[in-house]
Amino acid sequence: MDGVQKVLLSLLLGLLLVLLIFYIQNNSFKSNKSKSKTPTFLIIGSNNSGKTSLYYKLKSINKEELPTSTISSLEPNDGLIQLPFSNEAIQKPFRIVDFPGHLKYTTLLKKLILEDITLDNLKGIVFVIDSSSNSINQENKIKNITKLIFEILSQTEKLPNGIDFLFAVNKTDLFDSLPIHRIKTLLQTSMNEIIHNELNRSGTGGYDDDDEIESDKDDTVRQLWSIIVPKDQSFRFEMLEGNMEFKPGSVLKNKIEDWENWFDERVVNYGGM
Ligand SMILES: Nc1nc2c(ncn2[C@@H]2O[C@H](COP(=O)(O)OP(=O)(O)OP(=O)(O)O)[C@@H](O)[C@H]2O)c(=O)[nH]1
Ligand SMILES: [Mg+2]
């Protein structure tokens, strides 16, 4: 092969490579685009609460195979489930995403909600909580849970009807599992603290409306919360636009009927059947 042939051959290979990259990018863009139009349910919550176990359990209702065990997730699990569970004849595909629990991923989670799933397609959020007192009593546990709830509600409550949450109080099979009303009260008290700290900071949008310069983003969030929680009142989940349901269960013991029903109700309400 002479020099000219070698140059021509490398040019040809280069061109093929460019075409291949273009083809792959184009196709993955298309599949992302169609995925992001699918109505979606999101599973979030602190780490080790049982999110991935629930994700696979829900998939197994659709007769998909369960993995024998889960490890702490570093990446989201992103798939499809057929809903409603209770009526196979009218099932349609819904996207379901299990997002890892570490607080350090919160910015990524917000990006996923706002830019990938989009609030329009988000049909509900399952917030999984490990109900064992062993877990709840860990230092800063409740605070970390409510920080995440606060961050996500600060986005979802911007919608006129908010987004519905299912607080899936998991691991009720454990002997030290706390009753659901106790968990709800702990979360409510902690949320109240976060909200009032936020609103009493000086700046615009909160209760103490002075003209210090604050970022616009902070101001909108504070304005939103000042409308949700009237001055001198304590936060209650019932004040939110989205429907907030607390339901006990256990993925391990297969006690997830209440949670299945919650999905089915959302799907019927969604009207997309
Ligand atoms: N006792 C009990 N254990 C459970 C239950 N559900 C899940 N687990 C266990 O809890 C551990 C954590 O479960 P995962 O599903 O991996 O938790 P995760 O929320 O996905 O955790 P990260 O990915 O780290 O955020 C595993 O050992 C599960 O077997 C339950 O209902 N009861
Ligand atoms: Mg996981």
Side-chain angles (χ1 to χ4, degrees):
M1 201 184 280
D2 63 20
V4 179
Q5 279 176 323
K6 274 186 190 159
V7 171
L8 282 175
L9 189 65
S10 21
L11 277 176
L12 188 68
L13 285 175
L15 186 67
L16 282 175
L17 193 66
V18 169
L19 284 175
L20 185 70
I21 292 170
F22 179 76
Y23 175 80
I24 292 170
Q25 278 185 343
N26 205 27
N27 270 345
S28 66
F29 175 68
K30 267 187 201 153
S31 68
N32 276 343
K33 216 174 146 194
S34 61
K35 207 187 217 175
S36 73
K37 280 192 185 143
T38 316
T40 303
F41 287 97
L42 184 59
I43 305 177
I44 57 175
S46 54
N47 55 314
N48 206 45
S49 54
K51 299 178 296 300
T52 306
S53 310
L54 175 62
Y55 171 86
Y56 284 112
K57 181 67 79 183
L58 292 172
K59 289 203 127 226
S60 78
I61 304 172
N62 287 161
K63 323 252 177 340
E64 284 188 39
E65 223 170 279
L66 270 174
T68 44
S69 68
T70 66
I71 49 159
S72 186
S73 314
L74 300 173
E75 295 270 333
N77 288 302
D78 191 338
L80 293 174
I81 45 169
Q82 302 292 329
L83 295 174
F85 292 118
S86 57
N87 189 347
E88 279 184 28
I90 57 163
Q91 281 181 341
K92 284 198 171 165
F94 283 73
R95 183 179 173 195
I96 184 147
V97 183
D98 149 39
F99 196 84
H102 279 281
L103 267 182
K104 64 179 179 192
Y105 297 132
T106 307
T107 313
L108 278 179
L109 174 59
K110 280 204 273 186
K111 211 170 146 70
L112 173 82
I113 293 176
L114 298 177
E115 293 172 22
D116 178 349
I117 298 172
T118 72
L119 287 176
D120 268 357
N121 290 320
L122 187 54
K123 300 301 160 208
I125 294 180
V126 181
F127 198 103
V128 185
I129 296 169
D130 178 342
S131 63
S132 66
S133 58
N134 192 17
S135 159
I136 297 278
N137 290 335
Q138 279 171 28
E139 210 190 334
N140 287 332
K141 188 72 179 189
I142 286 285
K143 192 139 189 221
N144 287 341
I145 293 177
T146 45
K147 264 189 198 160
L148 180 59
I149 299 174
F150 176 83
E151 287 293 329
I152 303 308
L153 283 174
S154 298
Q155 303 304 326
T156 60
E157 285 291 306
K158 285 179 189 161
L159 292 180
N161 294 321
I163 299 251
D164 294 350
F165 273 59
L166 165 67
F167 290 95
V169 179
N170 191 29
K171 307 199 186 182
T172 50
D173 56 287
L174 294 175
F175 76 96
D176 66 338
S177 166
L178 292 176
I180 206 151
H181 63 85
R182 174 97 184 100
I183 290 179
K184 187 175 176 184
T185 308
L186 284 169
L187 294 181
Q188 226 157 227
T189 310
S190 173
M191 278 292 287
N192 190 49
E193 240 170 68
I194 295 184
I195 295 163
H196 282 272
N197 279 345
E198 189 67 22
L199 291 177
N200 291 325
R201 276 196 308 131
S202 58
T204 54
Y207 295 142
D208 295 329
D209 206 349
D210 63 27
D211 54 12
E212 237 177 77
I213 299 166
E214 284 271 338
S215 81
D216 287 350
K217 222 165 89 200
D218 276 6
D219 288 346
T220 357
V221 167
R222 296 170 65 218
Q223 223 150 23
L224 179 76
W225 284 104
S226 70
I227 296 166
I228 298 171
V229 186
K231 204 172 163 75
D232 303 326
Q233 288 200 28
S234 295
F235 169 78
R236 282 175 295 110
F237 282 103
E238 290 73 21
M239 289 172 169
L240 297 162
E241 291 299 332
N243 186 280
M244 306 281 132
E245 291 193 35
F246 283 74
K247 300 227 175 262
S250 164
V251 182
L252 195 73
K253 297 285 174 197
N254 233 349
K255 280 193 63 187
I256 62 162
E257 313 83 55
D258 285 353
W259 305 344
E260 285 174 41
N261 291 339
W262 179 86
F263 276 94
D264 286 3
E265 281 164 22
R266 301 283 116 18
V267 168
V268 173
N269 287 347
Y270 163 57
M273 302 307 305

